[in-house]
């Protein structure tokens, strides 16, 4: 069973640009969550999608957005990039309700903003 | 608003000894608590969990203890092995999302 796949793995952007990250969940999983990991901040929850609907949202500005497609694949977009957006962005999938079962994470997309 | 705190950013333990990783939280509505382990260049992987109705859950070398009155949980690894060297995150569950702590980097040396 293939795991969670995130693309691209690494990317470099400059301030003001925008970026789109992609996540393919485990086959059969309908929930996709996104997290931002920065040194000293742990994993901060961005949002969660379930069956193409945003079900939960963290405390991030509107520059951060996402969507989910009918095949459960998800994308997240960050517009008007700032230096502080440099981070590892992790995608996780699960079959449904997060709390009763574990999340399965991808390897992440490491974004560097110059 | 730090609902979940792992106050020890790092911990160094000798192989064969016990590793104790701590986590404090503020939200009494958390109903499920998970621990994740993360190696460099990999995504976090689920390790062990505990329901809020229990105070202990054991899985092999890993045991998680929950003290609801103190809003504190801990992960015990006995005996510690070099392969356990990783970053450990506690992640309480609340309303269909996990809230991760800042992590503790565990290093197990021979």
């Amino acid at each position: 069973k293939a795991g969670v796949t995130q693309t691209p793995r690494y990317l470099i952007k400059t301030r003001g640009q925008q970026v789109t990250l992609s996540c393919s969940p485990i086959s059969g999983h309908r929930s996709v969550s996104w997290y931002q990991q920065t040194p000293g901040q742990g994993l901060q929850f961005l949002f969660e999608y379930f069956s193409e609907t945003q079900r939960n949202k963290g405390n991030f500005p509107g520059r951060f957005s996402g969507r989910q497609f009918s095949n459960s694949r998800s994308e997240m977009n960050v517009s008007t990039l700032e230096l502080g957006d440099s981070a590892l962005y992790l995608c996780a999938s699960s079959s449904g309700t997060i709390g009763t079962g574990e999340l399965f994470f991808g390897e992440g997309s490491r974004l560097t903003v110059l | 608003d730090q609902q979940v705190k792992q106050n020890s950013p790092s911990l160094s333990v000798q192989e064969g000894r016990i590793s104790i990783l701590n986590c404090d939280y503020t939200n009494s509505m958390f109903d499920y608590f998970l621990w994740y382990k993360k190696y460099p260049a990999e995504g976090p992987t689920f390790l062990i969990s505990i329901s809020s109705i229990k105070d202990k859950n054991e899985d092999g070398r890993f045991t998680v203890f929950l003290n609801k009155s103190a809003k504190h949980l801990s992960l015990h690894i006995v005996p510690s092995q070099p392969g356990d060297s990783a970053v450990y995150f506690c992640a309480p569950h609340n309303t269909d999302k996990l809230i991760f702590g800042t992590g503790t980097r565990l290093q197990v040396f021979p």
Side-chain angles (χ1 to χ4, degrees):
Chain A
K1 192 173 183 180
V4 178
T5 305
Q6 291 188 246
T7 57
R9 290 291 312 280
Y10 303 92
L11 66 166
I12 299 173
K13 294 285 187 177
T14 56
R15 280 180 297 175
Q17 287 187 309
Q18 67 102 24
V19 66
T20 299
L21 308 177
S22 179
C23 172
S24 293
I26 291 173
S27 177
H29 283 188
R30 296 166 65 189
S31 169
V32 173
S33 303
W34 289 90
Y35 289 83
Q36 180 196 65
Q37 184 186 12
T38 53
Q41 292 294 318
L43 276 69
Q44 295 185 283
F45 175 76
L46 282 154
F47 26 66
E48 185 227 352
Y49 287 87
F50 182 83
S51 294
E52 301 179 66
T53 301
Q54 186 179 85
R55 189 162 67 170
N56 260 304
K57 189 177 188 303
N59 297 322
F60 278 80
R63 300 186 297 107
F64 292 81
S65 63
R67 59 178 176 169
Q68 186 180 31
F69 302 95
S70 58
N71 61 358
S72 293
R73 190 178 70 85
S74 176
E75 288 181 347
M76 68 162 282
N77 184 77
V78 188
S79 62
T80 320
L81 284 166
E82 300 176 0
L83 295 179
D85 296 333
S86 295
L88 179 67
Y89 290 89
L90 290 160
C91 165
S93 77
S94 73
S95 55
T97 304
I98 294 176
T100 56
E102 68 266 29
L103 296 175
F104 296 85
F105 283 86
E107 294 179 314
S109 294
R110 183 165 294 282
L111 170 65
T112 301
V113 181
L114 302 176
Chain B
D1 178 20
Q2 281 280 17
Q3 295 188 62
V4 184
K5 291 184 180 179
Q6 293 178 255
N7 291 317
S8 297
S10 64
L11 176 67
S12 189
V13 173
Q14 189 173 30
E15 181 179 6
R17 301 276 191 158
I18 184 172
S19 295
I20 300 176
L21 295 91
N22 295 303
C23 178
D24 296 296
Y25 61 95
T26 57
N27 191 339
S28 58
M29 299 302 292
F30 290 142
D31 57 2
Y32 218 84
F33 302 84
L34 293 83
W35 283 92
Y36 282 78
K37 178 169 71 172
K38 185 180 186 299
Y39 293 117
E42 294 183 13
T45 55
F46 170 74
L47 185 59
I48 191 171
S49 65
I50 187 169
S51 166
S52 60
I53 63 174
K54 296 186 176 182
D55 54 19
K56 178 183 174 180
N57 188 28
E58 192 172 349
D59 184 3
R61 296 185 297 113
F62 302 91
T63 303
V64 57
F65 295 91
L66 175 62
N67 183 333
K68 286 189 68 177
S69 60
K71 294 190 178 67
H72 176 85
L73 69 157
S74 61
L75 173 68
H76 292 211
I77 306 173
V78 181
S80 301
Q81 299 174 353
D84 296 329
S85 298
V87 178
Y88 291 79
F89 295 95
C90 67
H93 165 257
N94 182 28
T95 56
D96 279 335
K97 66 182 179 186
L98 293 180
I99 300 174
F100 284 79
T102 50
T104 296
R105 181 177 301 278
L106 172 66
Q107 182 164 8
V108 180
F109 60 93

